[in-house]
């Protein structure tokens, strides 16, 4: 059995750091999500304004990390977007003014995402089976108590 101090286990733990993206929601006015996202694959984090921008930046990150691999190729009206891998996450504050989520996308099947999301302030973790379900879970947390 491998021991935690072995290079194999250290590599696995390093790879696991890329699986979680911290999503900091700074405002949620009239249903418009604004904030930042942090992952070791992003040099200084990424700002987003609106749900569409968040989802596209998150999908670009997953494509860049090549994890999880998509079950099917993305389709679109324009050529595929590409993004270079970046340095580790900066030491910026990784807490949202409104709410903070730890997002783990484990699978990309049926042109959607599956995984888990943890609402850090609420101390709750839920699994999601689609991007729509993820969005509804985040909306529920943002609407119910993260003021």
């Amino acid at each position: 059995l491998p021991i935690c101090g072995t290079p194999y286990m250290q590599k696995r733990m390093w790879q696991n750091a890329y699986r979680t993206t911290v999503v900091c929601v700074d405002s949620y006015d009239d249903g418009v999500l604004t904030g930042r996202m942090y992952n070791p694959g992003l040099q200084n984090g990424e700002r987003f304004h609106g749900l569409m921008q968040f989802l596209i930046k998150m999908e670009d990150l997953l494509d860049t990390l090549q994890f999880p691999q998509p079950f099917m190729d993305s389709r679109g009206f324009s050529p595929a977007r590409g993004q270079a891998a970046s340095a580790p996450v900066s030491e910026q504050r990784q807490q949202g003014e409104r709410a903070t989520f730890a997002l783990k996308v484990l699978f990309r099947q049926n042109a959607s995402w599956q995984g888990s999301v943890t609402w850090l302030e609420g101390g709750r973790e839920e699994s999601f089976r689609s991007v729509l379900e993820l969005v509804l879970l985040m909306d529920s947390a943002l609407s119910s108590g993260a003021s």
Side-chain angles (χ1 to χ4, degrees):
L1 290 174
I3 300 171
C4 275
T6 65
Y8 171 77
M9 289 302 289
Q10 290 172 347
K11 183 177 178 185
R12 276 187 61 114
M13 290 186 320
W14 177 79
Q15 288 174 338
N16 285 336
Y18 283 82
R19 294 183 184 199
T20 301
T21 301
V22 177
V23 180
C24 303
V25 178
D26 293 327
S27 69
Y28 192 59
D29 299 325
D30 295 324
V32 178
L33 196 66
T34 301
R36 300 159 278 126
M37 53 190 255
Y38 299 94
N39 180 289
L42 299 169
Q43 185 171 6
N44 294 312
E46 284 278 339
R47 292 194 169 279
F48 59 85
H49 179 77
L51 179 62
M52 183 66 77
Q53 194 175 60
F54 165 69
L55 295 175
I56 290 171
K57 286 185 178 200
M58 189 67 197
E59 184 72 9
D60 285 346
L61 172 64
L62 297 173
D63 286 342
T64 298
L65 297 175
Q66 298 181 351
F67 182 84
Q69 288 286 324
F71 179 72
M72 59 179 45
D73 290 332
S74 296
R75 298 177 353 158
F77 293 110
S78 62
R81 298 174 307 277
Q83 187 176 356
S86 304
V89 166
S90 72
E91 295 300 318
Q92 294 178 2
R93 183 176 66 97
Q94 294 184 11
Q95 183 175 353
E97 293 175 24
R98 183 78 187 257
T100 312
F101 300 96
L103 176 60
K104 291 183 183 179
V105 178
L106 302 175
F107 305 101
R108 292 196 288 170
Q109 298 177 345
N110 303 315
S112 195
W113 307 337
Q114 297 80 37
S116 66
V117 61
T118 303
W119 175 28
L120 299 180
E121 291 83 2
R124 296 194 48 208
E125 179 178 6
E126 295 288 340
S127 296
F128 59 90
R129 296 163 288 199
S130 68
V131 172
L132 177 59
E133 193 170 25
L134 167 65
V135 168
L136 293 173
L137 286 166
M138 291 174 68
D139 175 72
S140 171
L142 290 163
S143 299
S144 73
S147 52

